Amino acid sequence: MFKLESEQALLAAFRPRDRKIVELPPRLGFPLAVQHCFAWTHPAGGRVYVVFAVKGGVPTGIAFDHDGHGPLVPHMCDWCHVAGPGTQVGLLTARLNSKKVLGVHVCSDLRCKQRLEDEANRRGASPLPALERLLERMGRFAEEGLGIDLAGANR
């Protein structure tokens, strides 16, 4: 769990290049206590945002572009491993730099956390092991794919 004290703290979780495109959800109150991760979609669509923290790391934000829904054939989310049609699981992309884009097949609304919690509740199990794996996968994408230092350097 981590706490974001202000809008500035939330924006500071994102890379400098992404801060200018982040639009916060309406009526978001601070301080914001986040358990595992916090995700939201741009009100007009087209973008999805997530803020998370790996164990020992600082809050890390990723801004994704989303160009719509894919085909209705089932896909599996690379992060939470929940399957769904193209309207629920699709390709989200994040800019590595001005010339390169990196994509990942994930839940289109980035509500992986809620899906894992719902699944665990149906089974009567704890969601914590699945949520820890989710954070590891998010962190691996951010660190290895986007080159984000999860300890917070250079942000």
Side-chain angles (χ1 to χ4, degrees), residues 85-101:
T87 56
Q88 292 176 352
V89 178
L91 182 66
L92 298 184
T93 59
R95 290 226 163 257
L96 179 60
N97 56 43
S98 62
K99 296 180 182 182
K100 293 184 182 179
V101 175

Side-chain angles (χ1 to χ4, degrees), residues 11-152:
L11 291 173
F14 290 86
R15 298 178 295 171
R17 69 172 296 118
D18 291 335
R19 290 179 193 151
K20 59 185 166 242
I21 63 169
V22 173
E23 187 169 328
L24 300 179
R27 298 179 300 281
L28 184 62
F30 291 96
L32 180 65
V34 178
Q35 191 114 81
H36 302 98
C37 61
F38 174 62
W40 71 97
T41 57
H42 187 279
R47 285 211 173 88
V48 186
Y49 311 97
V50 65
V51 177
F52 66 96
V54 297
K55 191 173 185 172
V58 300
T60 301
I62 302 175
F64 286 100
D65 290 321
H66 185 330
D67 61 0
H69 300 293
L72 294 177
V73 296
H75 297 287
M76 185 176 77
C77 174
D78 288 341
W79 286 354
C80 67
H81 294 173
V82 170
T87 56
Q88 292 176 352
V89 178
L91 182 66
L92 298 184
T93 59
R95 290 226 163 257
L96 179 60
N97 56 43
S98 62
K99 296 180 182 182
K100 293 184 182 179
V101 175
L102 185 67
V104 61
H105 240 111
V106 292
C107 293
S108 300
D109 57 5
L110 291 179
R111 295 196 182 267
C112 298
K113 176 185 178 230
Q114 288 84 359
R115 288 181 177 88
L116 291 174
E117 288 172 339
D118 290 346
E119 183 179 314
N121 286 339
R122 283 192 297 274
R123 292 183 293 122
S126 170
L128 291 179
L131 292 171
E132 288 173 4
R133 288 189 299 274
L134 171 66
L135 292 177
E136 289 171 11
R137 292 179 187 118
M138 290 173 150
R140 194 168 36 252
F141 176 81
E143 193 169 48
E144 295 173 8
L146 298 175
I148 297 173
D149 182 351
L150 300 176

